[in-house]
Amino acid sequence: MKHIGVIGASGLMGHGIARNLLAKGFALSLTVHRNTERVTDLLAAGAKQAASPAELGSCDAVVICVTGSPQVEETLLGPKGVLSQAKAGLIVIDTSTSEPESTRRLAALCAERGATLVDAPLARTPVEAELGKLNTMVGAEQAVFDKIRPVLAAYCENIFHVGGPSAGHVVKLLNNFIGQAICTATAEAFAVGALAGIEPQKLVDVVSAGAVNSGLFQAMAKTLGGDFTGLKFELDNARKDLRYYTHLAEMVKVPSLVGEAVHQSLVTASALGHGKEFVPALVKAQEKLTGAKIAPQ
């Protein structure tokens, strides 16, 4: 594992991944989605620009960091996709939040062409990406996991081998469901509290001193002071992740009453115009829905 390709280096998470791979001594090649502005520093530091994902097929491993399953599928299977020129033994590491069903299908297609697909989605934020301190949950056979661990360690602080192929994406969807449930419940509680005549900050004071407290709750609590950047994750991406989660629950025939409620809360916030904002904008959606005064105007 010496020469690594990166697809998505111009993104918030992908840039940090690429930067840390370079810093740890890997030879790096990358594709540029639209323009080179976001990767100028990477190219100046020695990364090589590839004209298409296909050109990365000669790498030892290719790290994909894009939005979700449709983008991963296009990146791998498109006319100029990675698999069109993949060398035997190539390992593809999908760090995106993708649907497990798609991951299993893509893994089979990769195997047919002598390549291996690993699902290694990420947790934490772009800040940790730049610092090389992301978390990752990896779905891979043990031998493959051992081989790619040094690559993952270049940009991750905590590496969890959670099972075989597709297990990483299953755990990631479960993790995101729990997180978005906390964010959605907090925004709703603020609205109910405000309309019931209490100051939401009083609720924050109580929760902060008890077992319900968490980093996500505190990120949502910042909205009471007008800060909606406590969780830098686009609401529309969260909506997509919850749709993947409810689809997974449906496939394994588990009723997902809470999951569907969280998903629809995100859909509603997006429909109200907050999709391109960060997740804490759920508070703004509650204000529109209920008339509650929560955040500073």
Side-chain angles (χ1 to χ4, degrees):
M1 298 285 104
K2 296 180 179 180
H3 184 194
I4 311 300
V6 175
I7 298 171
S10 59
L12 292 175
M13 300 291 270
H15 182 275
I17 291 173
R19 177 176 174 273
N20 281 285
L21 285 167
L22 272 174
K24 298 297 168 50
F26 291 96
L28 189 72
S29 296
L30 54 85
T31 57
V32 179
H33 183 47
R34 292 190 178 90
N35 58 62
T36 60
E37 182 179 353
R38 278 282 299 166
V39 297
T40 299
D41 61 325
L42 302 176
L43 296 172
K48 304 299 182 183
Q49 183 174 344
S52 69
E55 290 189 15
L56 300 181
S58 61
C59 295
D60 298 316
V62 175
V63 177
I64 301 176
C65 188
V66 294
T67 304
S69 290
Q71 292 77 22
V72 174
E73 292 178 8
E74 176 62 25
T75 295
L76 288 176
L77 305 178
K80 295 183 179 180
V82 173
L83 291 184
S84 67
Q85 295 182 32
K87 71 176 185 181
L90 173 70
I91 298 178
V92 178
I93 303 171
D94 178 15
T95 69
S96 314
T97 301
S98 301
E99 291 210 67
E101 180 187 27
S102 172
T103 301
R104 288 188 286 269
R105 180 164 50 82
L106 290 175
L109 291 172
C110 284
E112 289 177 4
R113 305 186 193 191
T116 301
L117 178 66
V118 173
D119 47 307
L122 306 168
R124 294 188 169 172
T125 72
V127 173
E128 286 83 19
E130 293 295 331
L131 294 173
K133 293 185 176 181
L134 291 169
N135 292 343
T136 186
M137 48 225 81
V138 186
E141 300 298 341
Q142 186 65 50
V144 176
F145 174 74
D146 292 340
K147 191 171 186 179
I148 65 170
R149 189 181 180 101
V151 178
L152 302 175
Y155 57 86
C156 292
E157 180 177 34
N158 297 301
I159 302 169
F160 302 96
H161 186 197
V162 297
S166 83
H169 281 145
V170 171
V171 172
K172 172 61 172 175
L173 295 182
L174 301 178
N175 178 80
N176 281 22
F177 161 54
I178 294 169
Q180 293 308 320
I182 292 170
C183 294
T184 302
T186 301
E188 182 178 310
F190 286 167
V192 172
L195 291 172
I198 65 106
E199 295 179 19
Q201 183 59 48
K202 300 299 182 183
L203 172 64
V204 172
D205 295 343
V206 172
V207 172
S208 297
V212 180
N213 190 31
S214 69
L216 286 174
F217 177 80
Q218 292 300 326
M220 296 297 292
K222 290 181 179 180
T223 62
L224 302 183
D227 182 357
F228 289 84
T229 65
L231 177 58
K232 292 184 178 180
F233 187 59
E234 188 180 282
L235 195 146
D236 271 347
N237 278 339
R239 174 174 57 84
K240 178 267 296 181
D241 291 353
L242 262 292
R243 175 167 53 84
Y244 287 179
Y245 168 78
T246 57
H247 186 206
L248 173 63
E250 180 183 1
M251 290 186 66
V252 297
K253 297 181 176 62
V254 172
S256 182
L257 303 180
V258 176
E260 290 291 356
V262 174
H263 179 221
Q264 288 305 312
S265 293
L266 292 163
V267 170
T268 300
S270 182
L272 290 171
H274 301 294
K276 298 306 177 184
E277 299 178 55
F278 294 137
V279 167
L282 284 164
V283 169
K284 296 180 182 180
Q286 282 291 338
E287 290 180 320
K288 288 182 179 178
L289 285 169
T290 66
K293 303 302 181 184
I294 303 171
Q297 303 301 310

